[in-house]
Amino acid sequence: MILAFVEHTGGTPTEPSLESLTLARELAADTASRLDAVVFGAEGAATADHLGTYGVETVHHADDERLDTYAPEAWAESVGQLVDTEGPEAVVAPATDRGQEVLAHVGAKRDLPVATNCLDVDAGETYELARQRWGGSLVEHAVLDGETKLLTAAEHEFSPAEADTATDPTVQTFTPELEGSEFRVSVDRFEESDTSGVALGEARVVVGGGRGVGGPDDYDKLETLADLLNGTVGASRAAVNEGWRPHDDQIGQTGAKISPDLYIACGISGAVQHMVGCKGADNVLAINTDPEAAIMQKGDYAVVGDLHEIVPELNEALRGGR
């Protein structure tokens, strides 16, 4: 059996989880195994309405009201106990903050090997795989061996694909045995963001601003460009460190991973860590005064010039329909 760790919002699986299900289903086919899923939260059982479309046969729902909110050690111990009882060949999770953290705890507690940010996996007696390392600046080819193998699927590398044959998953509730100490870290509350508009990870157009923007007030012209294109604004780590934009806007290795149809990078040098975050973009348009900037070499299109002159011209052109 291949076990998929599925994150969800109100019973609807998240996009990264659906991406990782594509990898999990491939492994299930390669190993002639069934595909199961493990979910948490009060509405976890509702994921079965969606997961059958992706080939999941059984949904294992952890039943403990303390697990309804995220608690990394407790969630990991729950997955570990499921591994003990079900003996899956592999556990596959999305390479999100939660997916990585939970599997890291499972691997440490169960002495199992973990391979993160996988791009391709060839299942045999051992798993031969390719995965991102050093912030995506290189691809490592490795062999993974263990009684149960733990993997995370790199974001935006697998397309969410429905199974050829849909299933009607059964929901099996299990109650893990958990100590109070395993809840020493947990989510205490949620606070709604004041921001509105298109979410950065879902936007089809993203306008990014770096140190070259010059200051927080100068993002107005980028906001206008994003609005005209029905997109949203992001930022480099340098801009966030300056306090010009909130961390939620950061694109990069330690920020958001985006996969828009178009990414317009304004005044951004293109450090490796930033490029990790925008590598999923179909098209990159770079605007920079330095023709030798790394992002100018890596982008699909480049405009050499001052963004403070070019972006207002773009805005005017878009308003005029030219």
Side-chain angles (χ1 to χ4, degrees):
M1 180 257 282
I2 302 295
L3 181 65
F5 170 79
V6 174
E7 299 177 62
H8 66 91
T9 302
T12 301
T14 63
E15 188 80 2
S17 289
L18 295 180
E19 293 173 2
S20 64
L21 274 172
T22 297
L23 172 60
R25 191 171 64 250
E26 291 174 358
L27 293 178
D30 291 344
T31 58
S33 304
R34 76 175 193 269
L35 176 60
D36 287 9
V38 57
V39 296
F40 294 86
E43 298 174 283
T47 60
D49 296 336
H50 304 273
L51 296 179
T53 305
Y54 296 88
V56 173
E57 297 187 30
T58 301
V59 176
H60 301 272
H61 181 213
D63 181 29
D64 185 325
E65 63 180 12
R66 295 175 297 173
L67 297 170
D68 288 352
T69 189
Y70 181 56
E73 291 181 79
W75 282 29
E77 178 58 25
S78 303
V79 173
Q81 291 180 22
L82 192 60
V83 168
D84 295 341
T85 58
E86 299 294 327
E89 162 124 352
V91 181
V92 181
T96 57
D97 291 342
R98 290 187 179 185
Q100 308 271 47
E101 186 173 28
V102 168
L103 287 203
H105 279 294
V106 175
K109 288 191 172 186
R110 294 299 192 277
D111 194 26
L112 296 172
V114 184
T116 59
N117 294 300
C118 294
L119 304 169
D120 183 61
V121 183
D122 185 10
E125 284 190 24
T126 58
Y127 285 12
E128 296 184 7
L129 53 88
R131 68 190 190 110
Q132 295 174 348
R133 293 297 305 275
W134 292 98
S137 60
L138 62 83
V139 175
E140 175 188 83
H141 294 271
V143 174
L144 187 66
D145 191 14
E147 187 173 352
T148 295
K149 304 161 188 69
L150 310 178
L151 311 99
T152 66
E155 290 188 75
H156 308 310
E157 293 294 337
F158 299 90
S159 298
E162 298 180 358
D164 293 335
T165 303
T167 59
D168 185 15
T170 58
V171 177
Q172 291 187 359
T173 300
F174 73 101
T175 304
E177 297 180 5
L178 300 169
E179 303 289 338
S181 61
E182 287 159 337
F183 291 91
R184 57 188 170 181
V185 177
S186 65
V187 173
D188 178 67
R189 67 183 184 276
F190 293 93
E191 294 186 3
E192 293 292 333
S193 172
D194 292 334
T195 59
S196 59
V198 185
L200 187 59
E202 301 172 3
R204 303 325 307 156
V205 176
V206 174
V207 180
R211 185 176 281 117
V213 175
D217 295 339
D218 291 306
Y219 275 85
D220 288 350
K221 55 180 70 71
L222 273 62
E223 295 276 6
T224 300
L225 178 57
D227 288 344
L228 289 167
L229 295 171
N230 296 318
T232 194
V233 170
S236 69
R237 179 176 179 176
V240 171
N241 287 347
E242 292 286 348
W244 299 345
R245 302 294 293 188
H247 182 266
D248 288 348
D249 287 355
Q250 183 175 322
I251 300 166
Q253 183 180 356
T254 54
K257 310 295 192 301
I258 61 172
S259 57
D261 298 327
L262 173 63
Y263 176 45
I264 304 175
C266 305
I268 294 175
S269 63
V272 169
Q273 292 83 354
H274 184 78
M275 299 309 296
V276 169
C278 66
K279 65 179 296 185
D282 290 341
N283 297 281
V284 176
L285 166 62
I287 302 173
N288 204 298
T289 56
D290 181 6
E292 301 302 320
I295 201 162
M296 303 290 270
Q297 312 304 317
K298 298 173 183 175
D300 299 286
Y301 306 94
V303 178
V304 179
D306 187 346
L307 70 91
H308 300 287
E309 298 175 359
I310 294 167
V311 173
E313 288 288 339
L314 279 174
N315 294 341
E316 190 61 30
L318 288 167
R319 288 193 188 96
R322 297 203 300 273

